[in-house]
Amino acid sequence: MSERKIVDAKNTFCPGPLMELIGQMKMAEIGDELEILSTDQGSAADIPEWINKVGHEMVETSENDGVWHIVVKKIK
Amino acid sequence: MSSDRISVMVTAGSREQLQMAAMVASVGAVSGNDVTVFVSMNAMKFFVKDSTEKAPADGEMGVLLEEKNAPDFKELFSQAVEYGDAKIFPCSMAVDIMGLKQDDLESFVSEPLGLTAFLGDASEGQVWHF
């Protein structure tokens, strides 16, 4: 399995974390997993919505101490 | 992935309006929609290259956007183009009246567009105005 890349988008607001994730996704290889860190609750809901809409794979999501961790696998 | 046309007209020069327009354009574009942005009136000067003027806040929300480190609206428009192939057109009237040339505008801005063409683009799909 490819290494999981951390995208730290803490302390900004929607749609900042989504845009940071997309920027990193563009550079990632198919099959790579990215873990986005966000302190913005709106983004925690919106990013999975985007993942489903564009057809990547949602791996897992969790929250710890006000930081959401959303893991996505690049499919295409 | 469904693809829809989204047309965004941006005329207001306030931070809140520019921010919301940039959010619709960027999120719309990266979600697979065909996004066209038409910039005119008081919004136009914020698309001039290297302009350092800050968009004034309409109210409390505009102040908070800055204090809380919300994404910069120009950056979001730029990402709409880079990540989502949005097209951002300056209104040809605004460009003429301000005496601007293409080189005076931000690099993510396309060549000037007339209202007739924009209205043609906007005749299908969602239309948003800020």
Side-chain angles (χ1 to χ4, degrees):
Chain A
M1 192 183 101
S2 315
E3 203 173 319
R4 184 180 283 181
K5 183 175 172 58
I6 304 286
V7 182
D8 188 347
K10 296 196 290 287
N11 303 317
T12 184
F13 290 86
C14 176
L18 175 62
M19 292 300 150
E20 287 196 37
L21 174 65
I22 291 167
Q24 295 296 325
M25 288 284 268
K26 291 234 166 214
M27 292 186 284
E29 307 280 337
I30 289 169
D32 283 358
E33 287 188 0
L34 289 89
E35 177 170 350
I36 178 119
L37 312 185
S38 173
T39 46
D40 174 47
Q41 188 163 7
S43 294
D46 213 35
I47 289 173
E49 195 77 40
W50 177 81
I51 292 167
N52 287 331
K53 172 145 190 173
V54 302
H56 293 296
E57 185 185 324
M58 184 66 207
V59 179
E60 60 186 24
T61 177
S62 59
E63 189 250 320
N64 188 12
D65 262 351
V67 180
W68 278 266
H69 298 249
I70 301 153
V71 183
V72 54
K73 185 175 192 176
K74 179 165 173 163
I75 295 296
K76 55 186 183 176
Chain B
M1 185 164 67
S2 64
S3 175
D4 294 307
R5 186 179 285 268
I6 296 178
S7 299
V8 185
M9 178 181 270
V10 193
T11 54
S14 78
R15 186 172 171 85
E16 289 91 332
Q17 296 285 309
L18 286 160
Q19 186 79 13
M20 199 67 235
M23 289 166 69
V24 170
S26 57
V27 175
V30 300
S31 301
N33 300 289
D34 185 4
V35 173
T36 299
V37 179
F38 185 74
V39 181
S40 191
M41 299 300 169
N42 292 325
M44 192 67 247
K45 65 181 172 185
F46 298 105
F47 293 79
V48 173
K49 199 185 282 174
D50 303 327
S51 76
T52 51
E53 188 176 338
K54 284 194 171 169
D58 266 341
E60 286 168 28
M61 192 67 193
V63 175
L64 279 172
L65 286 171
E66 180 144 25
E67 280 179 9
K68 300 267 185 170
N69 191 30
D72 178 67
F73 67 80
K74 268 193 176 180
E75 179 81 17
L76 290 175
F77 279 122
S78 168
Q79 288 167 333
V81 174
E82 186 185 348
Y83 298 158
D85 295 325
K87 292 266 186 251
I88 299 179
F89 295 105
C91 162
S92 53
M93 178 281 286
V95 166
D96 287 345
I97 219 165
M98 289 171 75
L100 297 168
K101 298 188 184 68
Q102 185 70 35
D103 283 353
D104 299 327
L105 300 170
E106 291 285 2
S107 58
F108 58 83
V109 175
S110 299
E111 66 286 355
L113 187 75
L115 195 49
T116 309
F118 177 72
L119 289 177
D121 269 5
S123 64
E124 289 172 37
Q126 304 176 49
V127 180
W128 298 84
H129 178 228
F130 298 93

